[in-house]
Amino acid sequence: MRIFTKKLPHPDLPAEEKAQLLQNSEYQEMMVESTFMYLTLDLPTAPLYKDEKEQLIIPQVPLFSILAKFNGATEKEYKTYKENFLKRFQLTKLPPYLIFCIKRFTKNNFFVEKNPTIVNFPITNVDLREYLSEEVQAAHTNTTYDLIANIVHDGKPSEGSYRIHVLHHGTGKWYELQDLQVTDILPQMITLSEAYIQV
């Protein structure tokens, strides 16, 4: 994966000073090549309000919207205690198995919050060709993935529980496992869960 990073001047600086700083080499975009074990997908902020019928809104987002982070063009601001950075990511190689970690939990100074947004994802034929750099696309003949496992977090961040959906390759059937319980599950039901990790 290629990671492009650009340091940003402090937002409170005067415009002339910002423009001058942006000319320094310290503020120019840098690129590093990095390997990855999994891809972290950032969820959009969940709405805080009920809809006009006073019912809770169940926020949803398509998988390909949050995968746009890896298209090489989408920039995201990252803040540290002292500095701000713009980063963008581009995939240069696809592994035989791919792991998505959907970032559901955020921690602030006081507590951990969970984002309940449902990610709408296809179970088969997730094609990542458009997220590869152009020169790498030709080298990858197979760029599609099928879901084989889906880990779900239910409940509050501090006292929730986990369950897993697993595909049995021999029969093509999906099973849900939670503790010692194993039950059949329809593939359509998997996409309605608060997925946390996907293989």
Side-chain angles (χ1 to χ4, degrees), residues 36-85:
F36 62 90
M37 294 182 65
Y38 58 89
L39 297 177
T40 303
L41 305 178
D42 303 317
L43 289 175
T45 306
L48 300 173
Y49 306 105
K50 295 181 179 181
D51 66 7
E52 59 274 354
K53 295 178 184 172
E54 288 300 308
Q55 295 176 351
L56 289 176
I57 298 168
I58 299 174
Q60 298 181 38
V61 63
L63 174 67
F64 293 103
S65 291
I66 56 178
L67 269 173
K69 171 183 179 178
F70 299 101
N71 66 10
T74 303
E75 292 183 327
K76 184 176 179 196
E77 189 171 348
Y78 291 85
K79 296 181 180 189
T80 64
Y81 178 69
K82 292 183 178 180
E83 299 172 318
N84 294 352
F85 296 92

Side-chain angles (χ1 to χ4, degrees), residues 33-34 75 103-104 115 125 131 156 158 168 178 186:
E33 296 268 350
S34 175
E75 292 183 327
K103 193 173 176 186
R104 291 208 172 272
N115 187 330
N125 295 321
Y131 302 101
K156 296 179 182 176
S158 57
H168 184 268
Q178 186 169 17
L186 293 171

Side-chain angles (χ1 to χ4, degrees), residues 1-194:
M1 174 184 335
R2 290 185 186 131
I3 304 171
F4 301 88
T5 307
K6 184 169 33 176
K7 185 177 174 183
L8 297 174
H10 194 279
D12 295 338
L13 289 175
E16 315 85 52
E17 200 172 328
K18 277 186 195 175
Q20 193 174 16
L21 281 174
L22 289 172
Q23 302 303 316
N24 295 347
S25 60
E26 181 184 357
Y27 289 88
Q28 300 306 307
E29 186 173 73
M30 295 181 300
M31 188 270 291
V32 295
E33 296 268 350
S34 175
T35 56
F36 62 90
M37 294 182 65
Y38 58 89
L39 297 177
T40 303
L41 305 178
D42 303 317
L43 289 175
T45 306
L48 300 173
Y49 306 105
K50 295 181 179 181
D51 66 7
E52 59 274 354
K53 295 178 184 172
E54 288 300 308
Q55 295 176 351
L56 289 176
I57 298 168
I58 299 174
Q60 298 181 38
V61 63
L63 174 67
F64 293 103
S65 291
I66 56 178
L67 269 173
K69 171 183 179 178
F70 299 101
N71 66 10
T74 303
E75 292 183 327
K76 184 176 179 196
E77 189 171 348
Y78 291 85
K79 296 181 180 189
T80 64
Y81 178 69
K82 292 183 178 180
E83 299 172 318
N84 294 352
F85 296 92
L86 275 181
K87 288 188 178 186
R88 57 190 176 93
F89 304 89
Q90 185 173 45
L91 300 178
T92 55
K93 187 177 180 184
L94 292 175
Y97 291 91
L98 190 59
I99 300 171
F100 292 150
C101 180
I102 299 168
K103 193 173 176 186
R104 291 208 172 272
F105 303 101
T106 53
K107 188 176 183 180
N108 61 30
N109 292 337
F110 306 104
F111 51 86
V112 177
E113 290 182 287
K114 180 182 172 189
N115 187 330
T117 300
I118 301 292
V119 178
N120 297 319
F121 55 89
I123 293 199
T124 58
N125 295 321
V126 175
D127 193 354
L128 299 183
R129 179 170 296 282
E130 68 182 77
Y131 302 101
L132 293 170
S133 59
E134 287 182 22
E135 69 271 15
V136 177
Q137 284 183 6
H140 276 75
T141 53
N142 187 11
T143 58
T144 60
Y145 290 88
D146 294 337
L147 186 70
I148 58 172
N150 182 53
I151 299 173
V152 178
H153 182 271
D154 295 313
K156 296 179 182 176
S158 57
E159 55 196 53
S161 62
Y162 293 91
R163 57 193 163 98
I164 184 168
H165 303 123
V166 179
L167 175 65
H168 184 268
H169 281 288
T171 60
K173 291 177 74 175
W174 282 90
Y175 293 94
E176 181 175 279
L177 291 78
Q178 186 169 17
D179 297 329
L180 297 176
Q181 290 185 320
V182 178
T183 55
D184 294 7
I185 187 168
L186 293 171
Q188 301 90 319
M189 300 305 291
I190 296 168
T191 61
L192 302 175
S193 60
E194 293 179 11

